[in-house]
Each structure stands twice: as structure tokens, then as C-alpha cells.
Amino acid sequence: MPRTRLVFVNQYHANRSEMSAAVFFHNAAYQLKAYLETVPRLRRTYDIEIPDLSSLPSHQRGLTDEDDLNLLGAVLRRRPGILAFSLYCWNSPALHELARTLKRLAPGVLTVAGGPEVYDRREFAALFPAFDVLVEGDGELPLRAILERLPDRDFRRIANVSFRRGGRWIHNRSAPAVCDIDEIPNYYRAERRNIGGIGWYLTTRGCRNACDYCLWARQPMRQKSRAKVLEELETLIAQTRLRKLILFDYDLLELYGADHELLETIAGLVRRRGSDFAFNLFTNPGSIARPGIRELVERLPVRRITVGLQTGHRPAACAVNRAWGGQGLAPFVAVPEDLRSRMVVELMYPLPKETPATFRATLERLFGLGYFRLRVYHLMVLRGTRLRRRASEMGLGYLDRPPYFCLETPTSSAAQTLRIGRLGFVLTLMTTVLDGLRDAEAIRRWFVADRGRIVGRILAAIDGGRGPDEILRSEIRSICGVDYPGSFVLGEYKGPPEAPPSLYALVDDSGRRR
């Protein structure tokens, strides 16, 4: 009996030097493949492939473009019977057009779409009609059932699945359908010789928090066993060429802060890799002020801690169901000063009830406290979230197709949102540039002395029509006394400079140059 070939189709077009292994930017496909291959019947019936198509541009220009022909050829030469697409807000339009074209060239191929974009299947099917089957939520159990029933294509009664039959869509019921994540084999082991650069790892699925703008909390919270966590981390840290590993759990310190044996085992793996290996983690504001944070950070040891603040304005936090994180900036004040330069603070704009003034005040306060690594994200009104369902009553204006950016709120006009968005772009880019400078403590002192006035200077420069490269070059010159050649925006700047950060922060205002 001939075997059917299942091909996962995805492209990743971010900075490949930052995340250079396919197992990370096609992570969902690798998890699904590993799980499906544990089922003997499926292993006998299907060949599963995950081609790396990321060297080819997105399919968006039509059949007259040679790149498109190369991309189509790279998929179809594998003679797939099923094409599976993992859809996110950044790739769904391009992959939808690719699926449409592939169906024209190979009409007998079954196209299956899953991923965060497929939440609210009825709406998704209307927006992106080129797929044959939709899978909402965790993919392991629904995709297994689809493959088991493929011969007669009767997908009725498979929870969380929609499919086209007789020219119309049939939407099955939504219901919990999750596998035991410990049953998914350690797929990193087979790929370890291909893993290098920067990677990330999750010990959980789902989230205990329930922020209105996020889809992660729609999944039930599940945690891998200690044994599985240690097995997979040992593979990633000890057996690959990774230079940086980011633990992406929503709050690693909350999850494992009391498990000293586990943390000590991880610390031993990290220490054996030496100083050229970076270990980073995510946490929430409540965890950074916990007793013993210094001991914990130094024992692991942690190079960077990303803290999901989102807003320092309590009414804005409460408006999106983040009252649990509504303690404002108090935890940041409690952090020892010399640890603050290790922290990357994530913020989001425009949350409901946030104003340009309250957001600016948060930025200025963080800079004044010495937190100079800020990443500012634009609020997305994602399909399937409570925020999307409440958008009309909350008065939110947003794009109804990817990237779903929120354009305005009752407290932030479209013009104000754009202005703060441009500010956030410069600040996020500045974080990337400063990450290459050696003396983080001197940089922290510079920001403390500046007392947040950098925010006003950048806004004034934006209002004056200056571009991000010009603005950032001026500020970086003030911080470290060096002119970077090349474009920051395009990633062409040369650095980091050999000169240490300047000592402007150590003199009074009258002696400082601007």
C-alpha cells in the first residue's frame, strides 16, 4: 500500500542569524511530527516532512515571479498528499495565497490549517477560504484523528475541526482536546547537530493568567514533568551549538522558584557550557521583587530577565484583566539597582484607558530607575480573544485582518497611537543596539542621571520629522560617545564600539553635552 506524504509548509522571514535552527521557527510542526510518529498505524501509513523553505521569499507576487515558481516547486516536488500550514498573524496572508495557488496546481492535495490564527473558525473560513480543513487549538489529537479518517474524508465528530464538504463548511463543536505533553518525544535529540545560534524552550503550555488580549490562556495550563524538562534541557544546553537559550514560560520564577534541586541541575548545565553561553528567562513583575532574587539569578546564572509589565497604569492593567499585575512599578523599585541592567521590560500600547501621558510617565520612570532595556509592542486585537469580543463596547478601532493592530481607543486617538508607536519603535531598536555594549552598569547610571528626559527628546525629534536612524544615532552618541556607521533600522550598523560608555552621567546637568 503506498504511503501518503504529509508536508508541513511554513516560512520564517525574521533575522535568521538570531534564530538559526528550523526546530525553533517551525516548532509546532516538529512537535506534531514527533507526536504523530508515536502512533504505529500512522507511522506505517504516512511519511512526514518539514522542509525548510525560509530561504525563499513569501508567495505574494503571482506565477510571473521566479521566486514564486521556486517556492511552488520546492513544495510540489515532494508529491504531497496533505499540506499542513501553521498560521500566525505574521504569515497567514502569504501562506493563504500559497495554499490557493498550490490547490490550483495540485487539486487533489488536502490543505489543513492550524495555529493561533484559526481561532473562531467560522470567521477565519470567511476571511481565508483556500484551506480544506481547519484545526483550532492544540493540534495533536485533531490532526491524528484527521489522518486516521483520511481514506473516507469523514471528519464529522472530530472536536475543534471545520472542513469543507459538498461545497459548504461544516463546523464541528469546540471541546477540550489536549494530549499529555509528556507523550511528545524529545525531538531536539534528533536535530541536535543542526541546532545553533539562539533558541527558545517552553516547559508549559497555556497560562494561569487570563489577559484579555492574549490567546495563550485559552489553552488549559499544562506543565512538563521534571524528568522531561531536564532531559530536553540537557539536550539543548549540553549537546548543541546554541549560544543563547531563552526559557519562554510566562513566569519561570513562579513555576520553579521553590524547586531548588531542579534549578541547581539547570545551573550546572549552564555553567559547564562556559561564559560564551547565555541563559535568559521570562517572568512577571511580581516575581522580580521576591526575596532571594539575586541568589536565584546568579545561581542559574541568568544573562537577561524579560519582565512582562505591559503598563504601569493600573486602570489600563485592569481594563485588560491584568489586575493581578496592577501593582504598577513598585516591584521595579524593589529590585537591587545592580540587577536592573539585566532586565528587559516589555510594554504594550495602546491598552484601553492608557493615555499618551500615562504611558510616557511609565517610560520616564523606568528609565529614571535605570531600566534601559525596553521593548514596546503594539496592541493587537486578535481574533478569538476577549478583547476582540469586547472591542466594540470598549470603543477600539483596529485592523480586522493581520496584523490586527489597534489604531485608536477612547483615550488615544489614531494620531497619538501612531506617534507613540514610532517612539516605541525607536526605544525597542535602542535596546537591541545597547545590548552590544559591554559596560551595562555605566549605561544604567547614564539613564538614572538622565531621569527619563530621553523620552521627550525622542518625541520632539519625531515631531520635527527626523527618522529613527537619525534619532537613535544622536542618542547613542550621547550615551557612549561613539558614532555608529550604517543603518540601525536595516541592521547594518557596525559595533559594538571598543570605546567604553561615556561618563556624562557622572557630571551635573550644566556640564553635560547634548
Side-chain angles (χ1 to χ4, degrees):
M1 180 178 177
R3 296 164 65 86
T4 300
R5 183 165 288 122
L6 165 61
V7 177
F8 284 93
V9 180
N10 203 353
Q11 292 183 277
Y12 181 83
H13 296 290
N15 187 344
R16 287 293 302 275
S17 66
E18 291 298 296
M19 192 175 291
S20 56
V23 73
F24 300 117
F25 51 80
H26 296 331
N27 190 256
Y30 278 89
Q31 291 189 60
L32 289 167
K33 179 177 185 290
Y35 172 77
L36 295 172
E37 289 178 343
T38 66
V39 183
R41 178 183 173 187
L42 299 184
R43 201 165 54 243
R44 291 191 301 268
T45 310
Y46 294 94
D47 291 320
I48 303 176
E49 295 185 14
I50 309 175
D52 183 3
L53 306 172
S54 300
S55 62
L56 297 168
S58 297
H59 177 75
Q60 54 189 358
R61 291 182 288 269
L63 290 174
T64 59
D65 190 279
E66 185 176 297
D67 286 328
D68 281 349
L69 293 174
N70 289 333
L71 176 57
L72 294 167
V75 175
L76 293 177
R77 71 167 175 260
R78 289 172 165 80
R79 300 186 181 280
I82 307 170
L83 293 171
F85 299 81
S86 293
L87 301 182
Y88 301 83
C89 61
W90 58 83
N91 68 8
S92 54
L95 288 184
H96 176 254
E97 292 309 307
L98 176 59
R100 189 198 300 273
T101 305
L102 288 167
K103 287 291 289 185
R104 291 180 61 188
L105 296 173
V109 172
L110 185 76
T111 55
V112 181
E117 269 290 273
V118 183
Y119 275 108
D120 287 356
R121 286 170 277 139
R122 292 176 185 273
E123 183 181 344
F124 178 87
L127 288 172
F128 302 103
F131 303 102
D132 299 313
V133 182
L134 307 178
V135 176
E136 181 175 338
D138 281 23
E140 287 85 4
L141 296 184
L143 186 54
R144 172 180 175 173
I146 290 167
L147 297 181
E148 290 172 339
R149 302 180 193 185
L150 186 65
D152 59 9
R153 298 205 177 191
D154 183 4
F155 305 134
R156 292 173 296 179
R157 294 184 296 278
I158 304 177
N160 307 320
V161 165
S162 297
F163 63 102
R164 200 194 309 271
R165 190 170 196 178
R168 69 183 185 89
W169 279 100
I170 297 174
H171 300 285
N172 297 342
R173 67 188 179 91
S174 296
V178 297
C179 74
D180 180 350
I181 55 178
D182 278 346
E183 293 180 0
I184 301 174
N186 178 7
Y187 50 92
Y188 302 109
R189 182 179 292 116
E191 296 294 319
R192 62 188 183 277
R193 291 183 177 83
N194 301 319
I195 295 177
I198 298 174
W200 56 270
Y201 179 73
L202 277 165
T203 73
T204 59
R205 283 193 193 177
C207 180
R208 290 176 183 157
N209 304 320
C211 306
D212 284 355
Y213 51 78
C214 185
L215 287 167
W216 199 233
R218 286 194 59 164
Q219 300 187 50
M221 174 74 181
R222 285 154 292 158
Q223 221 170 320
K224 295 177 182 177
S225 66
R226 283 176 95 259
K228 185 160 189 65
V229 169
L230 290 175
E231 175 198 351
E232 293 181 337
L233 284 179
E234 196 276 336
T235 299
L236 288 169
I237 297 172
Q239 301 179 30
T240 73
R241 294 173 289 102
L242 282 176
R243 58 184 175 84
K244 180 189 296 184
L245 182 63
I246 305 167
L247 265 67
F248 233 83
D249 294 291
Y250 73 96
D251 192 336
L252 190 83
L253 300 182
E254 177 188 315
L255 290 167
Y256 301 106
D259 192 341
H260 300 295
E261 183 181 351
L262 174 69
L263 294 179
E264 189 56 44
T265 303
I266 296 173
L269 291 170
V270 175
R271 285 194 295 265
R272 285 192 288 275
R273 276 296 305 269
S275 60
D276 62 336
F277 180 80
F279 185 72
N280 298 352
L281 57 85
F282 277 69
T283 192
N284 283 316
S287 291
I288 63 174
R290 62 189 298 162
I293 182 68
R294 180 191 300 283
E295 178 188 358
L296 184 62
V297 166
E298 293 179 351
R299 186 168 79 239
L300 274 173
V302 176
R303 187 80 56 88
R304 295 280 182 271
I305 302 175
T306 299
V307 188
L309 173 61
Q310 315 314 341
T311 178
H313 186 51
R314 182 171 174 78
C318 293
V320 290
N321 202 33
R322 282 184 63 91
W324 56 269
Q327 62 268 60
L329 299 183
F332 294 86
V333 176
V335 172
E337 291 186 0
D338 61 327
L339 291 184
R340 296 175 187 179
S341 60
R342 297 196 195 190
M343 296 189 178
V344 181
V345 184
E346 291 188 340
L347 298 132
M348 188 178 294
Y349 190 87
L351 292 179
K353 298 190 178 180
E354 186 85 83
T355 70
T358 59
F359 192 73
R360 175 175 176 173
T362 295
L363 296 175
E364 291 174 340
R365 180 66 170 142
L366 285 169
F367 280 135
L369 288 170
Y371 295 94
F372 60 87
R373 306 182 196 274
L374 307 186
R375 296 194 181 277
V376 182
Y377 296 96
H378 199 106
L379 175 65
M380 293 187 286
V381 186
L382 297 170
R383 186 175 48 256
T385 62
R386 278 195 297 269
L387 186 67
R388 179 70 164 257
R389 294 194 295 272
R390 299 174 56 213
S392 179
E393 67 178 81
M394 299 181 81
L396 307 184
Y398 61 93
L399 300 175
D400 61 2
R401 295 179 67 88
Y404 308 112
F405 284 156
C406 183
L407 303 176
E408 57 185 330
T409 75
T411 55
S412 181
S413 68
Q416 290 171 325
T417 298
L418 178 61
R419 183 174 183 252
I420 298 298
R422 295 177 66 192
L423 168 67
F425 178 82
V426 173
L427 296 181
T428 301
L429 188 59
M430 182 173 68
T431 293
T432 301
V433 176
L434 293 179
D435 207 42
L437 297 179
R438 297 176 180 175
D439 193 346
E441 181 58 23
I443 298 171
R444 185 190 67 79
R445 293 198 301 269
W446 186 95
F447 277 92
V448 170
D450 186 69
R451 299 200 298 274
R453 285 173 291 192
I454 188 173
V455 179
R457 293 195 300 273
I458 293 174
L459 285 172
I462 289 171
D463 295 340
R466 296 168 65 190
D469 271 331
E470 183 183 359
I471 296 170
L472 191 52
R473 182 164 289 107
S474 175
E475 292 299 334
I476 293 296
R477 185 188 304 120
S478 295
I479 295 168
C480 67
V482 173
D483 279 312
Y484 278 84
S487 170
F488 297 109
V489 175
L490 299 178
E492 297 171 344
Y493 62 95
K494 306 298 181 183
E498 293 303 316
S502 73
L503 299 180
Y504 295 159
L506 305 182
V507 299
D508 61 23
D509 289 341
S510 63
R512 296 181 64 193
R513 295 183 295 174
R514 281 282 168 228

